[in-house]
Amino acid sequence: MATQQGTPSSALRVLEEALGMGLPAAGDTAEAVAAEGAYYLEQVTITEASEDDYEYEEIPDDNYSIPEGEEDLAKAVQMVQEQATDTQILEQKTVFSPKHTVPEAIEDFLCNFLIKMGMTRTLDCFQSEWYELIEKGVTELRDGGIVPDVYTQNMLLENENKILKKDLKHYKQAADKAREDLLKTQKERDFHRMHHKRIVQEKNKLINDLKRLKLHYASYEPAIKVLHEKHHALLKQKMLTSLERDRAIGQISGLQETLKHMEIGHSYHAPEFRVVPTFEKENAPEGPTQKGLREAREQSKCKAKTKVNTKDSEFPTLMQPNPNLGLGKENLCPAKFDYKLNNIFRLHELPVSCIIMHPHKDLLVSCGEDRVWKMVGLPKGNVLLTGLGHTDWLSNCCFHPSGNKLATSSGDTTVKLWDLSKGHCILTFEGHTHAVWSCTWHSCGDFVASSSLDTTSKIWDVNSERCRYTLYGHTDSVNSIEFFPYSNILLTGSADKSLSIWDARTGKCEQSLYGHMHSINDATFTPRGHMIASCDACGVTKLWDFRKLLPMVSIDVGPSPGNEVTFDSSGTEARVFATLNN
């Protein structure tokens, strides 16, 4: 033990001499040990049970035995052999060879230390002096000894510490970057949160503004209603004024005729209610009414030279009874839809907009978007007449009750009357500002009504060749117009989703029917006149009771729009047809 303890002390002494430090005195060593503390190993034997809380798991001792009931000797021998093999495997201990570490010599340790610290001159001095001592025999290599493990472990720990510091630096950099990203993400989150709050505030503000506008609009509805009533009252006054004007013009025309006959020398006696008041007022001072009458008289004189017969037609007061009133009672058989394609007539270069049948003959008239209408004889389909004159597409056509005239409406804002016996246009009505959608004849044959995209309808006098009334009331395009059979009542259907019933004698709207949710494209009466059928842009067809002015039936054949609706000749409710766009 003494020899073994002396070797490390001699090695430390050599190391200290090489470094030029020298060994301290024994007293100094004792003081250093007392200051830093002495390190030693002590063997301790635990004789009593541990008082800590750790619970040790007890490994059960498995006793292998032959199960009862098995008497087979071969199986018993095999089981004993397996038990013995397992016991041998458990008793074997795997012995790992200890890792052989070669301790580093003291001179190599010093050289490596100096090289590591970059002390090249000290290294040269140490090597020259160290090898000189070895050559002189003063110092032997075996006396140098080896470096204690504590120094080697310190170096290894120092290297590991440097590596850990380097890793810690990288981790700090990564943490700083992650912190910056987190702050950036938090700022973006706060920005988006504020933006969302601002959007919500703006949305709530818009909702409040919308509610306020709705209330404001609702407050204007009574005023709008009053204005509409005033508007209708003014229209009524306007119509009455027009009637008075027409009456005054008639009186003036009578007076002119009287004067004319008096100048010629014929004895002509005018009625008292036309002549006497006029002579009584000759000497009276001229007022605005008399001035207007005088101007109208002068204008009528100029017109009398160019046109003799300009008297307006009168609406019939005694209408003949409707011959179709008994159709519903005669044809009570169920409908038979056994139609078959008989022939195809290719008459137009562009789409066909309207087809009607002659009221008395087997003739058919078709109108197209190529600005032409054609009359075709049935069943061969030979073209008999061709009408040219419109400058835009044709929208509708209608036969005169006698069948010798034809009225056509067009997108060029005009309505034309055609003489079928001569085959040319005899009259053109101009007055609409937009396309004319539909036209219809009065049963007396003296009036034509038309409906237009300009939200108005007009009643034209064929004899005086002028517009008698303009029907105002719809707020959108008037798509359909039709006279009630053998009466002075008009029916119009408009894109404002309403039907209106008018008195053609006064031009006033008598009733409006509401119920459609979309633009009304067509409306018509039954031949008997007791029902109205209408169709709209979504394929909904409605039947109305004309006497009660209430809806009866609603039929949805959509979603294609219904362009036209008509009744069959019997006029029964079950035979309503609608033409749809595919």
Side-chain angles (χ1 to χ4, degrees):
M1 290 294 293
T3 306
Q4 294 178 356
Q5 292 177 357
T7 302
S9 60
S10 61
L12 289 174
R13 189 178 295 107
V14 172
L15 177 61
E16 291 172 354
E17 289 178 356
L19 294 175
M21 295 171 60
L23 290 173
D28 295 338
T29 303
E31 291 177 359
V33 169
E36 296 179 359
Y39 299 91
Y40 58 90
L41 298 177
E42 182 179 359
Q43 183 177 0
V44 178
T45 303
I46 299 174
T47 57
E48 296 180 358
S50 177
E51 296 180 356
D52 56 3
D53 297 333
Y54 187 83
E55 295 181 0
Y56 296 92
E57 183 181 358
E58 184 177 358
I59 300 175
D61 187 8
D62 296 330
N63 295 323
Y64 296 94
S65 61
I66 301 173
E68 297 181 359
E70 296 185 1
E71 305 261 341
D72 193 356
L73 181 60
K75 290 184 178 180
V77 172
Q78 184 178 0
M79 186 174 295
V80 171
Q81 291 178 356
E82 291 177 357
Q83 184 176 0
T85 304
D86 294 338
T87 304
Q88 292 177 2
I89 292 173
L90 292 174
E91 288 178 353
Q92 290 179 358
K93 295 182 179 179
T94 303
V95 179
F96 297 97
S97 57
K99 185 176 180 181
H100 182 69
T101 56
V102 179
E104 190 175 10
I106 188 68
E107 63 273 13
D108 294 336
F109 175 79
L110 291 175
C111 291
N112 292 333
F113 175 78
L114 295 176
I115 291 171
K116 184 176 180 181
M117 299 302 295
M119 303 169 66
T120 55
R121 291 181 295 175
T122 306
L123 176 64
D124 295 338
C125 294
F126 170 73
Q127 287 179 346
S128 60
E129 187 174 359
W130 177 260
Y131 289 114
E132 184 179 356
L133 292 175
I134 292 174
E135 289 179 357
K136 290 180 180 180
V138 178
T139 303
E140 295 181 0
L141 289 176
R142 63 177 181 274
D143 295 337
I146 58 176
V147 180
D149 293 342
V150 63
Y151 295 104
T152 305
Q153 294 295 330
N154 288 338
M155 291 185 65
L156 295 175
L157 292 175
E158 186 178 356
N159 292 332
E160 186 176 359
N161 189 18
K162 289 181 179 180
I163 294 171
L164 292 175
K165 286 182 179 180
K166 187 175 181 181
D167 294 340
L168 179 61
K169 184 178 180 181
H170 290 308
Y171 292 149
K172 285 184 177 180
Q173 293 177 356
D176 294 337
K177 185 177 181 181
R179 188 181 295 105
E180 293 177 357
D181 294 339
L182 178 61
L183 293 175
K184 184 178 179 181
T185 305
Q186 289 177 350
K187 290 180 180 179
E188 292 180 355
R189 181 201 62 189
D190 296 337
F191 172 76
H192 289 298
R193 185 177 293 170
M194 293 177 62
H195 184 65
H196 175 70
K197 290 181 179 179
R198 185 170 63 254
I199 295 266
V200 171
Q201 292 176 357
E202 292 178 357
K203 175 186 174 183
N204 295 331
K205 183 179 178 182
L206 290 175
I207 290 173
N208 294 329
D209 293 341
L210 183 61
K211 291 180 179 179
R212 187 168 59 254
L213 288 175
K214 285 183 178 179
L215 294 174
H216 188 65
Y217 175 75
S219 64
Y220 276 109
E221 286 185 354
I224 294 173
K225 187 176 180 180
V226 172
L227 290 176
H228 276 297
E229 293 176 354
K230 291 182 178 179
H231 176 68
H232 288 299
L234 291 174
L235 289 177
K236 183 177 178 181
Q237 293 178 3
K238 180 182 177 182
M239 298 307 300
L240 294 175
T241 306
S242 300
L243 290 174
E244 293 178 359
R245 183 195 64 184
D246 296 338
R247 190 179 299 110
I249 291 175
Q251 292 177 0
I252 293 171
S253 300
L255 291 174
Q256 289 175 355
E257 292 293 331
T258 304
L259 293 174
K260 183 177 180 181
H261 284 284
M262 290 176 65
E263 290 175 358
I264 295 173
H266 295 284
S267 59
Y268 180 80
H269 298 282
E272 292 183 0
F273 69 91
R274 290 188 178 180
V275 179
V276 175
T278 305
F279 285 112
E280 288 178 356
K281 295 181 181 179
E282 279 184 356
N283 298 324
E286 187 179 20
T289 305
Q290 286 79 8
K291 184 179 179 181
L293 292 174
R294 181 173 55 79
E295 293 177 355
R297 188 182 301 113
E298 293 176 357
Q299 292 178 1
S300 62
K301 286 181 180 180
C302 297
K303 290 182 180 179
K305 296 178 181 179
T306 57
K307 198 168 188 179
V308 179
N309 186 14
T310 58
K311 187 176 181 181
D312 289 334
S313 304
E314 295 293 336
F315 283 95
T317 56
L318 299 175
M319 301 294 294
Q320 63 176 353
N322 188 352
N324 299 319
L325 292 177
L327 291 178
K329 300 179 180 179
E330 296 176 1
N331 300 327
L332 296 177
C333 59
K336 296 181 180 179
F337 300 100
D338 54 352
Y339 304 110
K340 295 181 181 179
L341 179 63
N342 188 20
N343 203 345
I344 298 177
F345 305 141
R346 300 190 182 277
L347 304 175
H348 298 274
E349 298 178 356
L350 293 177
V352 178
S353 57
C354 176
I355 293 177
I356 60 170
M357 294 294 298
H358 194 278
H360 308 300
K361 300 179 182 179
D362 291 335
L363 298 176
L364 179 145
V365 173
S366 65
C367 300
E369 295 184 4
D370 54 1
R371 311 175 185 177
V372 178
W373 64 266
K374 293 184 179 182
M375 179 181 287
V376 179
L378 299 178
K380 295 182 179 180
N382 51 328
V383 179
L384 303 178
L385 287 176
T386 300
L388 297 172
H390 283 289
T391 59
D392 209 336
W393 45 269
L394 274 70
S395 59
N396 197 7
C397 61
C398 183
F399 274 109
H400 189 274
S402 63
N404 57 2
K405 294 179 183 178
L406 182 71
T408 58
S409 59
S410 171
D412 59 7
T413 72
T414 64
V415 178
K416 289 182 179 292
L417 303 184
W418 307 79
D419 189 347
L420 299 181
S421 61
K422 298 179 182 180
H424 59 80
C425 178
I426 59 175
L427 188 58
T428 300
F429 294 122
E430 298 179 353
H432 287 290
T433 58
H434 289 84
V436 183
W437 289 120
S438 180
C439 60
T440 181
W441 283 91
H442 192 279
S443 57
C444 68
D446 294 332
F447 301 95
V448 175
S450 61
S451 62
S452 173
L453 181 63
D454 59 7
T455 72
T456 66
S457 301
K458 291 182 180 292
I459 300 175
W460 309 90
D461 192 332
V462 178
N463 295 323
S464 62
E465 301 180 4
R466 70 183 187 90
C467 176
R468 290 289 295 273
Y469 299 110
T470 300
L471 310 182
Y472 297 96
H474 287 292
T475 59
D476 207 337
S477 171
V478 186
N479 299 330
S480 171
I481 189 168
E482 184 174 341
F483 273 106
F484 185 82
Y486 301 96
S487 72
N488 298 319
I489 296 175
L490 264 175
L491 172 66
T492 57
S494 172
D496 61 6
K497 310 172 190 176
S498 68
L499 297 170
S500 293
I501 299 171
W502 308 79
D503 188 347
R505 295 168 295 184
T506 60
K508 291 177 57 179
C509 179
E510 301 295 338
Q511 187 70 35
S512 294
L513 305 178
Y514 301 94
H516 281 280
M517 302 301 293
H518 304 278
S519 171
I520 298 175
N521 291 338
D522 192 27
T524 184
F525 290 101
T526 57
R528 295 174 58 191
H530 66 291
M531 280 195 309
I532 299 173
S534 59
C535 62
D536 62 20
C538 279
V540 177
T541 302
K542 287 183 177 291
L543 297 180
W544 309 79
D545 189 338
F546 182 60
R547 286 168 285 195
K548 298 180 180 179
L549 298 177
L550 294 175
M552 298 170 57
V553 180
S554 180
I555 306 169
D556 189 356
V557 293
S560 299
N563 293 334
E564 185 176 355
V565 61
T566 183
F567 288 92
D568 68 341
S569 58
S570 66
T572 56
E573 294 83 359
R575 299 186 183 184
V576 179
F577 307 96
T579 303
L580 302 179
N581 284 333
N582 292 328

